[in-house]
Amino acid sequence: DFAEEYILGELYGQALEAEGYSVELKHNIGSTEIIDKALTSGKIDAYPEYTGETVSSAFAQDFIAKSAEEMTSRAKELYAGRGQVTSEPTPFQDKDAIITLKEFAAQHGLTTVADLKKLGSFSLAGQAPFKGRFAGVKGMEKIYGIRNVEFTAITPGLQYKALDRGDVDTADAFTTDPQLSSDRYTILEDTKGVFGFQNVLFVINKPKYEALGGQQFMDIINSVNKLLTEPAMRAMNEAVLTDKKEPAAVAEAFLQANGLV
């Protein structure tokens, strides 16, 4: 339920339709934990997922990878093990990050996630699933020993307003959020890699993959993925979140500019 996912869905859907495929695009199904069940039960055929979320949320493994390649390899192996096929990963990744206002970070000497233990207690706003995820509050507690957090569930995007108003001390952000281009916020360094690596894989159930043409189908997905650099993704997010453009229009403009529609 955040802008980047709407954009990704439109990118894949429109690129496939341009090549003659019929696509039923379903929006806003829910978190990884929900949509993965929709995939395995056959209610949907395919969707884009972040590699770290695949491992920690879809397959419930508390795994810290040493590189993006290692995380991608683990995610691909897990999907293949239950009969699903994956694309090549996107160049961009969109990780969770703990942010604060710069003034708050300076006042309390915060530069890393571990520094949050210095505080008697602190409040953290984030999307609801973040509380129970290893790449989230669960991992912050297990790996960093952070037990002084008061978590508040919030709709993605509204955490910035909560920070700006002083309603919370810290927030969970996405590293491709256009708001982070401003100089208002400090991103606390995740020195132990709890938030992992989060490139995107398009995952599809194998019978549907084969019925749609196999590698010929996936070549279309990969032609989109290879273009999705961090600057490109951040610019599209900004167009939706800041300029208030429709995800479908933003995706169409990007695909047209790159000769895919």
Side-chain angles (χ1 to χ4, degrees):
D1 59 349
F2 57 100
E4 188 166 282
E5 286 294 83
Y6 296 127
I7 295 166
L8 288 174
E10 290 290 349
L11 287 169
Y12 296 129
Q14 291 182 34
L16 288 167
E17 287 176 340
E19 294 296 328
Y21 287 93
S22 177
V23 179
E24 181 185 357
L25 182 58
K26 297 185 177 184
H27 297 284
N28 203 18
I29 293 176
S31 66
T32 293
E33 293 84 349
I34 295 170
I35 200 168
D36 184 66
K37 289 182 174 62
L39 180 72
T40 56
S41 67
K43 291 182 179 178
I44 61 171
D45 299 311
Y47 83 104
E49 183 59 272
Y50 301 90
T51 54
E53 285 305 320
T54 295
V55 176
S56 66
S57 298
F59 288 87
Q61 293 189 0
D62 295 351
F63 176 68
I64 294 182
K66 296 181 177 64
S67 67
E69 292 75 17
E70 184 180 17
M71 187 69 83
T72 295
S73 178
R74 174 65 68 93
K76 279 179 163 287
E77 289 172 2
L78 290 169
Y79 281 131
R82 67 180 189 190
Q84 289 154 338
V85 182
T86 49
S87 66
E88 292 303 307
T90 58
F92 95 93
Q93 56 177 313
D94 183 5
K95 299 196 290 186
D96 289 279
I98 304 301
I99 64 170
T100 73
L101 290 175
K102 282 196 169 181
E103 295 83 357
F104 185 85
Q107 180 183 355
H108 297 281
L110 305 177
T111 59
T112 71
V113 174
D115 289 338
L116 292 168
K117 289 191 293 185
K118 298 177 183 178
L119 306 176
S121 65
F122 70 96
S123 52
L124 168 64
Q127 57 174 329
F130 187 74
K131 184 177 182 180
R133 289 178 173 173
F134 181 75
V137 174
K138 178 183 172 184
M140 291 168 65
E141 179 177 340
K142 185 172 182 178
I143 303 302
Y144 286 108
I146 292 173
R147 297 179 176 83
N148 55 334
V149 57
E150 299 172 2
F151 182 80
T152 298
I154 198 166
T155 301
L158 297 184
Q159 73 270 43
Y160 292 96
K161 292 181 180 179
L163 271 180
D164 293 346
R165 290 194 303 260
D167 294 343
V168 294
D169 302 319
T170 66
D172 168 42
F174 300 136
T175 53
T176 56
D177 284 349
Q179 295 94 328
L180 296 181
S181 298
S182 76
D183 62 355
R184 292 183 58 82
Y185 309 104
T186 291
I187 300 175
L188 302 184
E189 186 180 358
D190 177 22
T191 56
K192 295 187 177 181
V194 168
F195 302 133
F197 298 92
Q198 301 285 2
N199 303 86
V200 172
L201 294 174
F202 183 96
V203 56
I204 181 169
N205 288 317
K206 192 171 183 179
K208 179 61 69 170
Y209 166 80
E210 292 173 343
L212 293 175
Q215 191 59 50
Q216 180 182 355
F217 170 87
M218 196 62 82
D219 284 346
I220 300 168
I221 301 298
N222 287 330
S223 70
V224 174
N225 276 4
K226 69 181 182 181
L227 299 172
L228 299 182
T229 62
E230 185 166 331
M233 204 69 239
R234 190 175 289 219
M236 285 189 278
N237 285 338
E238 184 171 14
V240 172
L241 292 168
T242 304
D243 301 336
K244 305 303 180 184
K245 296 180 179 179
E246 290 297 321
V250 171
E252 183 179 15
F254 180 81
L255 292 171
Q256 285 179 340
N258 288 281
L260 293 181
V261 297

